[in-house]
Structure formats: C-alpha cells, structure tokens
Amino acid sequence: MTEFTDLNISSWIIDQLKLIGVKKPTPIQQNCIPAILSGKDCIGCAKTGSGKTLAFALPILQKLSEDPYGIFALVLTPTRELAFQIGDQFAAIGKTINLKKCTIVGGMDMVVQGQELARHPHIVVATPGRLADHLESCNTFSLARIKFLVLDEADRLLGGHFDEQLSVIFKALPKNRQSLLFSATITDALDKVKQVSTKEWFIWESTDD
Ligand code: ADP
Ligand code: MG
C-alpha cells in the first residue's frame, strides 16, 4: 500500500492532510505526484472525486516550500466555484508555510484583486476571463517567472470557449515552466495540448469508468 511518505511528500504536508482526513494517496495521486516532483509535464485523467486537486497541489506545495519565489504557480479552472474549492484546498495544506494565495474570478472588485496580485501571492487560482482582464489592464504583477501552470478541468478549458483569453494568458507565461493538465475525460480538446507544452508529457489515465 503506497503512503504519502513513499511519494517523498514532507511530514508537514502529511500532518496537514491528517487534519482534513486524508491518510492515503488515491491512484491519480500515487501516479502523478512522483512525475510532477521529478519535473515532468503531466496529464492526469480520472473521474470527478478522484482527488485531482491534491494530485497537483501537493507536489506544488512541496516544491514551493523548498524554494519560495514570487508567484510560483498559476491554476486555471473554468468556474468560480471550482476556483474557490481549489483555493481552499491549497490554503488548508499551506497554513504551515504561511501560503499566500489569491483567487481571481469574475464578479468581484477588480481594484481589490489587482492589489492582491501586486502583493506577490505564491499561488494564483483564476478563471481565464478575469485573469486575462487583469493582464490587459494593469502592470503591477507579472507571471513571467511562474514555475507551474495547471489547467484544472483541462478538457473544458481547451474546448474552444476560452481560446481568446487563454492566448492572452499563455503569452504572459515563461517557456521554462512545468505544465500540468487534469481532467475527468480525455477528449478531442486534449489534442490541443501541444499549444500548452511541446515537451514530452507524462500521461496517466484511470482505468475506472
Ligand atoms: P476531483 O478534482 O478529482 O473531482 P477533488 O480533488 O476535488 O476531486 O477531491 C474530491 C474530494 O476528495 C475532496 O473533498 C478531497 O479533499 C478528497 N480527497 C482528495 N484526496 C484524498 C485522499 N487521498 N484521501 C481521502 N480524501 C481525499
Ligand atoms: Mg477537480
């Protein structure tokens, strides 16, 4: 039985996980965490509820604690609700390292969000439309040095609806980042991943339905 320690996850993370009732890694976590920690670009597919958020959040937090540095990771997701849920999971585990995260979604004050972005959060969780608005309207923050780009619900993000906003965002990102895509299904949209990274992907797909 694989444990989080077998995946080289630090004890401070494991302690926080215990507090939220997480004891053993799910299959997508067992497979994707080592690939991400080893520096690979990663595509992980498994059904809803399989623990995809922690599959990317834990290795990002692990790396962040080893080398904190500006805006470290950008997580894009298609809806406000998902953005808040992802932000909450990062916050729950990141307490120990005083994680600064910022959630950038539509329907909230642009000025307040701009101030939060200017304070150099470690993790930015965003919906594409609102983040693209910020990139086009202000220059008080930069994504030029992020280490990780995550596309959560990647099939929906790459399905066409967000193309314009994603192209604004991708232009602001450095080439030498790690790209992580998570999705419930591998669809035709994932053929577009070459726009995200031309490196070789580590791909893990659950065999459950
Ligand atoms: P997905 O993105 O795959 O739909 P989530 O990442 O949102 O799923 O996780 C669903 C729920 O499972 C969350 O409440 C999360 O805290 C919980 N969870 C994640 N990983 C584990 C684990 N290893 N053990 C127990 N619960 C977990
Ligand atoms: Mg999810």
Side-chain angles (χ1 to χ4, degrees):
M1 188 49 150
T2 307
E3 308 280 344
F4 282 108
T5 43
D6 302 325
L7 307 178
N8 289 323
I9 292 296
S10 293
S11 57
W12 68 267
I13 294 182
I14 294 172
D15 291 345
Q16 292 306 114
L17 287 172
K18 280 186 196 138
L19 296 178
I20 59 165
V22 173
K23 297 190 188 87
K24 297 210 188 276
T26 63
I28 196 163
Q29 293 162 2
Q30 288 174 29
N31 286 279
C32 293
I33 289 173
I36 297 169
L37 287 176
S38 75
K40 294 194 176 108
D41 285 354
C42 174
I43 297 175
C45 288
K47 65 185 174 196
T48 301
S50 53
K52 293 190 285 294
T53 309
L54 293 178
F56 61 79
L58 299 184
I60 288 175
L61 288 165
Q62 176 76 38
K63 291 279 186 189
L64 173 66
S65 70
E66 291 161 7
D67 178 23
Y69 178 75
I71 297 183
F72 194 80
L74 169 65
V75 181
L76 297 175
T77 192
T79 70
R80 290 160 47 104
E81 292 68 29
L82 288 169
F84 287 122
Q85 284 171 24
I86 293 165
D88 287 348
Q89 292 206 48
F90 269 103
I93 312 296
K95 268 183 209 146
T96 319
I97 55 166
N98 295 320
L99 181 80
K100 286 190 282 176
K101 59 111 179 131
C102 149
T103 307
I104 299 296
V105 296
M108 322 264 292
D109 191 293
M110 278 288 281
V111 176
V112 173
Q113 284 182 348
Q115 288 164 348
E116 278 186 50
L117 283 167
R119 273 186 227 122
H120 303 295
H122 303 112
I123 309 285
V124 174
V125 184
T127 50
R130 182 50 75 94
L131 185 69
D133 287 349
H134 279 284
L135 286 168
E136 286 179 321
S137 71
C138 86
N139 54 7
T140 55
F141 75 101
S142 168
L143 296 172
R145 283 158 52 146
I146 63 154
K147 295 281 196 265
F148 289 95
L149 167 69
V150 181
L151 302 189
D152 176 61
E153 305 274 339
D155 56 336
R156 288 166 71 186
L157 287 173
L158 296 173
H161 179 67
F162 295 104
D163 282 359
E164 261 178 54
Q165 299 146 350
L166 290 177
S167 89
V168 171
I169 295 166
F170 290 171
K171 271 187 217 134
L173 304 179
K175 292 266 182 300
N176 63 343
R177 60 166 196 262
Q178 239 177 293
S179 303
L180 313 178
L181 271 57
F182 285 85
S183 177
T185 47
I186 289 196
T187 63
D188 295 346
L190 287 186
D191 292 344
K192 290 197 193 172
V193 294
K194 288 204 176 60
Q195 297 170 4
V196 183
S197 168
T198 51
K199 286 192 262 170
E200 197 188 325
W201 293 91
F202 169 85
I203 301 177
W204 189 81
E205 189 179 3
S206 166
T207 47
D208 304 350
D209 350 292

